Amino acid sequence: GNSVTQMEGPVTLSEEAFLTINCTYTATGYPSLFWYVQYPGEGLQLLLKATKADDKGSNKGFEATYRKETTSFHLEKGSVQVSDSAVYFCALSDIGTASKLTFGTGTRLQVTL
Amino acid sequence: NAGVTQTPKFRILKIGQSMTLQCAQDMNHNYMYWYRQDPGMGLKLIYYSVGAGITDKGEVPNGYNVSRSTTEDFPLRLELAAPSQTSVYFCASSRDRGRDTEAFFGQGTRLTVV
């Protein structure tokens, strides 16, 4: 079956630090990969996605590259802000799954001044 | 734009009670989903629907029921609440079944069963 593994949090960084959140996946088919973000008190919202190998998704300064050879989709940002404090979920959607998502456990990011 | 609306936001239930979590979307999406989020865990799919009148089980359907009489609404029913159902519940919708389709989530319902 499909699964997603994320690095455990919480991750605590100072503002302007570099962020990496690791994500690896196992899939029976050829999935699309997503990062969703959950700000405090809110539902999840799509941050970025990639649909095929070597695609790079990007949004709001965040980036992630679909690496089929290492089955990874690591999230990066060069300079985090306090407003980036949230929980980040890596997820995949496989062919024939009616867009059902398989999620990782989530990584909480706390950015301090 | 309202998007996906869930009610209530918070609820405390006693063991054995029943309740319905409401979910409505105004984007005319055919696909709708119910997930639960337990502490330290990812979201798990409870039930999903590919259109009005069609529902199917997800990964963790036991103890829940759903119906989809309209495109807009997808309520989740708990018949006999148990402490194991204490969780945060998210409803989501998507436009189509493409594997690259974005899902839109509601704000969640935090349910505690005591």
Side-chain angles (χ1 to χ4, degrees):
Chain A
N2 297 336
S3 66
V4 176
T5 303
Q6 281 182 245
M7 63 185 286
E8 289 198 19
V11 174
T12 303
L13 294 174
S14 299
E15 202 170 43
E16 298 184 2
F18 184 85
L19 169 71
T20 300
I21 300 178
N22 290 338
C23 171
T24 57
Y25 68 90
T26 302
T28 53
Y30 194 162
S32 289
L33 302 174
F34 304 82
W35 278 100
Y36 279 83
V37 59
Q38 184 181 24
Y39 297 105
E42 299 184 11
L44 283 73
Q45 56 186 272
L46 179 66
L47 180 60
L48 53 84
K49 68 179 182 182
T51 59
K52 60 183 188 293
D54 300 325
D55 263 3
K56 177 185 284 188
S58 62
N59 186 24
K60 299 181 181 181
F62 291 88
E63 293 182 339
T65 300
Y66 191 142
R67 300 289 187 198
K68 195 165 187 288
E69 64 276 13
T70 55
T71 62
S72 64
F73 193 54
H74 305 320
L75 183 68
E76 297 182 336
K77 187 175 186 182
S79 176
V80 294
Q81 305 300 312
V82 172
S83 57
D84 294 326
S85 298
V87 181
Y88 292 82
F89 291 92
C90 186
L92 68 82
S93 177
D94 209 348
I95 294 173
T97 63
S99 299
K100 293 178 288 183
L101 290 163
T102 300
F103 284 90
T105 54
T107 302
R108 181 176 299 278
L109 170 66
Q110 182 71 43
V111 181
T112 60
L113 290 171
Chain B
N1 286 342
V4 178
T5 303
Q6 290 183 238
T7 56
K9 286 188 170 49
F10 304 93
R11 184 72 185 268
I12 298 174
L13 277 184
K14 294 184 178 177
I15 294 171
Q17 285 186 321
S18 300
M19 78 164 293
T20 298
L21 282 66
Q22 301 291 345
C23 175
Q25 52 92 10
D26 62 358
M27 296 173 283
N28 202 33
H29 286 171
N30 283 323
Y31 291 77
M32 295 188 75
Y33 314 84
W34 275 105
Y35 292 90
R36 59 177 286 173
Q37 181 185 23
D38 298 328
M41 306 288 288
L43 281 72
K44 302 289 187 185
L45 183 66
I46 305 171
Y47 270 96
Y48 68 102
S49 170
V50 302
I54 306 170
T55 62
D56 207 348
K57 296 178 180 178
E59 190 178 353
V60 289
N62 291 345
Y64 307 94
N65 280 298
V66 294
S67 59
R68 184 94 182 271
S69 57
T70 67
T71 299
E72 293 78 21
D73 301 301
F74 190 41
L76 178 72
R77 179 84 177 159
L78 283 71
E79 290 294 348
L80 291 170
S84 60
Q85 293 177 304
T86 294
S87 190
V88 181
Y89 292 83
F90 287 100
C91 179
S93 72
S94 64
R95 184 186 70 242
D96 57 43
R97 65 180 301 134
R99 68 180 180 83
D100 61 342
T101 299
E102 176 181 359
F104 294 84
F105 286 80
Q107 288 191 308
T109 296
R110 184 175 295 276
L111 175 67
T112 303
V113 181
V114 296

